[in-house]
Amino acid sequence: MSIKFKSLLLIGLSSFLLLGGCVDKSKGLAEAEAAESTYTLRLAHNQGVEHPVHISLENFGQAIEQKSNDTLEVQVYPTGQLGQERDVVELVQSGVVDFSKVSASALEGFDERYSIFSLPYVFHSKEHFYDVMDNSSAVHEIFNASANQGFIAIGWYDAGNRNIYTVDKKVERPADLNGMKIRVQESSTSINMIKAMGGSPTPMAYGEVYTSLQAEIIDGAENNITALTVNRHGEVAKAHSYTEHQYAPDILIISTKTWNNLSENQKEIVMDSVKETSENHKKLWDETEISEKKAAEEMGVKFYTIDKSEFIESVKPLHEAFKNKSDEFRNYFEDFQSYLK
Ligand code: GCU
């Protein structure tokens, strides 16, 4: 998106959001709470309304409303209607939007510490992933480190593991990716990952992937199971291999401006609501993986279980490069690995 278009979008959006609805930005949050009037918080994300993460975000909003006796209201803007992931992070930074749910990989361009979540095979299993996300002090530190860049992370939602799928070619080994254009998120780690595996990475926003597959601009992509069904990639991509290379979590961020305006009680309400809904979301995700696999098979997608060892080996230099960036990065990496049982 051009800078000029971005500024126009920002100006247009600010006036739209400030003029529309029942928003009273002139009233401080604490004042609004004391007067028991409604203060509206906006949450933007790029998934469709039937996506499990959208459902959990709606639950998050409802939990906040209930716990605050409706003095806080949450309006969810799904389907990328306020922009792609990079755009909505910028809207959060400027305080035009209060919350946004984006992939951890999208945050890497704003704070390099987030690159750890996209490091391929940094998580060895779902149990390891959950344990780190829920308990690691490194995660806690990373989530709070970007406060002076306009946002902090307040929680995460499971977005499953990511696998490579192509229009028609079965990928069993890194060598099969030779000459194949694979869409990745706009994250240097994901770009380097596909390069290390032997393919040609093509970074682009999520909203452009379906048409790019259809137009054969790319040969494949990598994502969780919902991309095939909710985002309909399975209509054009028929060969899915369980590379299980990343567990990139979905991260819920809040604008530092909004956060600083919340009372201690409101902060507690927000944190309790994300914790509760993130936990409930795990079950919802498990159910989704089963139902969406079935739905994708009905669309004609073939699922291949493969030997991942060559993939794991191919990306080891990325782990070394990450650790060698600084002592801080090395400590994060070691902290993640210390949760291995
Ligand atoms: C996942 C993630 C999205 C992200 C997408 C992508 O679906 O939940 O937030 O946009 O991957 O690959 O871009």
Side-chain angles (χ1 to χ4, degrees), residues 68-122:
S68 72
N69 292 326
D70 288 331
T71 59
L72 294 176
E73 184 195 349
V74 178
Q75 263 170 18
V76 182
Y77 294 81
T79 55
Q81 54 184 281
L82 298 189
Q84 305 276 0
E85 295 207 318
R86 230 180 15 203
D87 309 321
V88 292
V89 176
E90 287 173 9
L91 292 174
V92 165
Q93 284 180 307
S94 63
V96 172
V97 165
D98 303 287
F99 302 104
S100 167
K101 189 295 299 166
V102 293
S103 168
S105 309
L107 291 171
E108 187 180 328
F110 295 87
D111 187 319
E112 207 190 344
R113 284 173 266 238
Y114 278 92
S115 61
I116 192 163
F117 298 109
S118 309
L119 264 187
Y121 302 111
V122 73

Side-chain angles (χ1 to χ4, degrees), residues 5-43:
F5 182 70
K6 247 185 208 165
S7 331
L8 282 175
L9 177 77
L10 204 69
I11 295 166
L13 205 62
S14 314
S15 7
F16 161 73
L17 290 170
L18 289 174
L19 293 173
C22 51
V23 181
D24 185 357
K25 275 271 177 188
S26 61
K27 219 173 250 175
L29 278 167
E31 203 188 325
E33 196 195 24
E36 299 253 305
S37 59
T38 303
Y39 188 86
T40 304
L41 299 168
R42 304 171 197 100
L43 190 165

Side-chain angles (χ1 to χ4, degrees), residues 46-47 85 101-103 159 162 183 185 206 223-224 250:
N46 69 351
Q47 299 290 7
E85 295 207 318
K101 189 295 299 166
V102 293
S103 168
R162 297 178 72 99
R183 178 270 172 174
Q185 297 194 74
Y206 197 33
N223 216 314
N224 64 52
D250 273 354

Side-chain angles (χ1 to χ4, degrees), residues 18 81 106 189 199 238 305 317 333:
L18 289 174
Q81 54 184 281
T189 309
K238 303 292 184 190
T305 301
F333 185 90

